[in-house]
Amino acid sequence: MVENASLRKGAMLGWVLSAIVILALAADAAVDLFAPALVSAEIEATGFLIDQARLLGLIILVCAILYAIPGTAVLGAILTTGFLGGAICTHFRLGEVGSPPQLISLFLGALAWGGLYLRDQRIRALLPIRSAID
């Protein structure tokens, strides 16, 4: 009974973490899709054309939607991690090591997988965390 309550609490925390990721991705996608002029300087500074903002926004939105749907959440997490890894690499290439965009991307990637780990038994079975005492 205690284990069931613990699993439910873990799943709820997983959904909270996942919601943070989904909201952050959706907000980023919305800006890229509907107000690309707001981020034009940042987009161009990373070497992308402002005309590509809407496509980037669409990619981010697809990642967020796939991650939000339980049946496709693993695919969404993989795609989100790939996208965020590309963002980290882009800023690394620009010499912006440890920059806010890199740290935010790293944080969101960790939250995405942490949230999925807590809310999906299949991920916990695939990647069991064992204590150092075991």
Side-chain angles (χ1 to χ4, degrees):
M1 191 73 141
V2 172
E3 186 175 321
N4 241 0
S6 178
L7 284 175
R8 277 197 307 270
K9 285 181 184 177
M12 288 297 294
L13 177 59
W15 275 108
V16 168
L17 297 178
S18 295
I20 292 168
V21 173
I22 293 163
L23 289 173
L25 292 174
D28 191 15
V31 171
D32 290 347
L33 286 168
F34 303 114
L38 292 176
V39 290
S40 64
E42 290 84 5
I43 288 175
E44 290 172 348
T46 56
F48 292 96
L49 301 173
I50 190 62
D51 296 342
Q52 296 171 316
R54 286 192 171 88
L55 181 57
L56 288 172
L58 183 62
I59 292 168
I60 296 168
L61 184 60
V62 167
C63 289
I65 291 169
L66 289 172
Y67 181 68
I69 300 169
T72 59
V74 173
L75 176 60
I78 292 168
L79 294 175
T80 297
T81 305
F83 185 85
L84 294 171
I88 290 170
C89 186
T90 296
H91 288 280
F92 184 81
R93 181 183 58 80
L94 295 172
E96 299 175 354
V97 178
S99 66
Q102 278 189 322
L103 297 176
I104 291 168
S105 294
L106 182 63
F107 180 68
L108 284 176
L111 275 183
W113 282 101
L116 191 58
Y117 185 89
L118 290 171
R119 68 183 169 113
D120 192 327
Q121 172 60 37
R122 298 170 303 163
I123 301 299
R124 289 192 304 276
L126 184 63
L127 303 168
I129 295 176
R130 295 184 178 95
S131 70
I133 299 171
D134 287 344

